[in-house]
């Protein structure tokens, strides 16, 4: 496998000058970006499939082990505060469980029975999407999660850094990231990990945009869970409506901190009307505003 292969280029890296080592490591990061760009078409097709599958109730499931699993979990966990992705619609399956987030759990990546049991326990099925991430493309836990989820009808996305490997062969939407050998042979936390991180970020961000959780380049579904995010919500609402700070804060209070609802309130809707508009627009603020504009035009 390319990610495990020793590269003669780095055979003396331990005696290079520090700046030469850093140059090589940074160059590898650029190579990781290039690998993601080369896979852009596959990422776009995967996002389209995910958008069509998730609908109103489907769950987003991440599966992985080791570094790949931790990267997958991180991407999934960030969807909740950033885009208000519902907790009940997110599953994070990592070999070794929560302990594996902070330390290596020996043998966990080989626990295929555990992987199958988790997929069955959570009743993953046709409404769901599972993203399996494995640099090698052969990790038993990850492959078992993907295989069982696919058998049960879920849409599967496979991300790997070695061509023609089982994770890519089994997935409905394979995403191959050609990062090649690492400066430290087999250390896939380096180039392979960077490419995975970018891919996950781009894939989930594109999905959230397509699902209407971004409007005008703003994270209008952000959860104001702390003072910083509360201030961000106020700035977004002011930017979108031009209303003074007092009206902005009042609208956000009436909307329970929901920026999209607050925009509609400041457009003259009652809370009930705003909620109804957003529901009909499937949460898409742009569509809700279009419908509101049509309605106002009809009333005139």
């Amino acid at each position: 496998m390319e990610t495990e292969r020793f590269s003669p280029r780095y055979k003396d890296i331990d005696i290079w000058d520090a700046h030469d080592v850093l140059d090589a490591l940074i160059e590898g990061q650029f190579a990781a970006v290039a690998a993601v760009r080369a896979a852009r078409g596959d990422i776009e097709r995967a996002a389209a499939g995910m958008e069509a599958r998730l609908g109103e109730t489907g769950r987003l499931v991440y599966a992985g082990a080791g570094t790949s699993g931790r990267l997958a979990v991180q991407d999934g966990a960030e969807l909740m505060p950033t885009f208000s992705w519902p907790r009940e619609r997110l599953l994070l399956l990592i070999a070794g469980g929560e302990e594996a987030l902070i330390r290596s759990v020996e043998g966990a990546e080989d626990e295929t029975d555990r992987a199958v049991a988790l997929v069955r326990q959570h009743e993953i099925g046709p409404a769901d999407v599972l993203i399996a991430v494995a640099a090698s493309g052969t990790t038993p836990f990850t492959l078992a999660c993907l295989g069982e989820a696919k058998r049960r009808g879920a849409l599967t996305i496979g991300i790997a850094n070695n061509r023609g490997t089982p994770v890519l062969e089994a997935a409905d939407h394979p995403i191959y990231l050609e990062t090649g050998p690492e400066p430290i042979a087999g250390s896939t936390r380096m180039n392979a990990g960077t490419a995975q991180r970018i891919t996950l970020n781009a894939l989930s961000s594109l999905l959230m945009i397509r699902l209407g959780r971004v409007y005008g380049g703003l994270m209008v579904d952000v959860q104001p869970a702390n003072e910083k995010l509360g201030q961000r919500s106020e700035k977004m609402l002011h930017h979108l409506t031009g209303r003074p700070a007092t009206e902005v804060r009042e609208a956000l209070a009436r909307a329970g901190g929901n920026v999209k609802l607050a925009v509609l309130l400041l457009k003259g809707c009652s809370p009930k009307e705003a909620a109804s508009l957003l529901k009909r627009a499937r949460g898409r603020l742009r569509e809700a505003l279009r419908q509101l504009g049509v309605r106002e035009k009809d009333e005139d």
Side-chain angles (χ1 to χ4, degrees):
M1 292 187 292
E2 283 294 292
T3 54
E4 297 293 324
R5 184 168 64 85
F6 164 73
S7 173
R9 178 186 176 189
Y10 305 112
K11 65 183 181 66
D12 294 324
I13 195 171
D14 53 305
I15 58 174
W16 288 0
D17 289 337
H19 71 271
D20 291 329
V21 174
L22 286 173
D23 279 347
L25 297 180
I26 294 169
E27 181 183 305
Q29 299 297 289
F30 282 112
V33 175
V36 178
R37 186 169 184 83
R40 182 174 54 185
D42 292 333
I43 297 169
E44 183 178 347
R45 285 185 286 273
M50 294 166 71
E51 178 189 358
R53 182 65 64 99
L54 286 170
E56 301 297 323
T57 60
R59 292 173 297 176
L60 192 51
V61 187
Y62 290 79
T67 297
S68 296
R70 285 185 281 274
L71 289 170
V73 167
Q74 180 186 17
D75 191 74
E78 290 174 350
L79 300 181
M80 292 183 288
T82 306
F83 301 108
S84 288
W85 187 255
R87 180 65 186 90
E88 65 273 13
R89 296 183 63 191
L90 179 68
L91 288 173
L92 306 173
L93 308 181
I94 183 169
E98 290 187 8
E99 183 182 355
L101 294 175
I102 57 173
R103 62 174 59 87
S104 175
V105 178
E106 297 300 326
E109 71 171 42
D110 297 322
E111 295 179 345
T112 56
D113 289 344
R114 176 60 178 160
V116 171
L118 282 170
V119 172
R120 292 176 179 174
Q121 174 190 327
H122 292 291
E123 299 181 339
I124 294 170
D128 304 320
V129 174
L130 182 137
I131 303 173
V133 191
S136 68
T138 62
T139 308
F141 175 90
T142 309
L143 187 58
C145 284
L146 188 155
E148 182 63 14
K150 185 174 182 179
R151 189 187 71 79
R152 296 171 64 90
L155 183 73
T156 54
I157 316 296
I159 301 173
N161 300 75
N162 286 287
R163 189 189 301 276
T165 46
V167 163
L168 298 177
E169 295 292 334
D172 296 309
H173 289 281
I175 300 174
Y176 167 51
L177 303 172
E178 188 175 6
T179 48
E182 301 284 357
I184 302 173
S187 181
T188 53
R189 61 182 286 273
M190 304 178 78
N191 302 350
T194 295
Q196 290 175 0
R197 178 72 178 102
I198 298 169
T199 298
L200 288 165
N201 192 306
L203 180 62
S204 61
S205 296
L206 175 56
L207 175 65
M208 293 298 122
I209 291 169
R210 299 293 296 171
L211 290 176
R213 294 175 181 268
V214 174
Y215 172 77
L218 300 173
M219 55 173 76
V220 288
D221 263 316
V222 68
Q223 295 179 0
N226 55 44
E227 184 176 350
K228 180 188 74 174
L229 295 179
Q231 292 175 354
R232 181 178 296 169
S233 295
E234 291 181 9
K235 289 177 181 177
M236 281 192 289
L237 189 53
H238 172 72
H239 173 77
L240 292 171
T241 65
R243 298 298 183 88
T246 53
E247 292 184 25
V248 162
R249 283 192 288 269
E250 180 185 351
L252 282 170
R254 291 173 64 205
N258 186 304
V259 173
K260 292 192 289 193
L261 281 176
V263 168
L264 295 174
L265 293 181
L266 289 175
K267 292 288 184 179
C269 292
S270 69
K272 184 176 180 180
E273 289 172 332
S276 178
L277 263 176
L278 274 178
K279 184 175 182 180
R280 290 201 305 273
R282 297 173 60 198
R284 291 167 167 81
L285 180 57
R286 190 176 297 277
E287 174 60 18
L289 289 169
R290 188 194 68 79
Q291 291 183 21
L292 180 61
V294 170
R295 189 183 72 179
E296 289 175 342
K297 185 176 179 180
D298 289 343
E299 289 174 353
D300 289 344

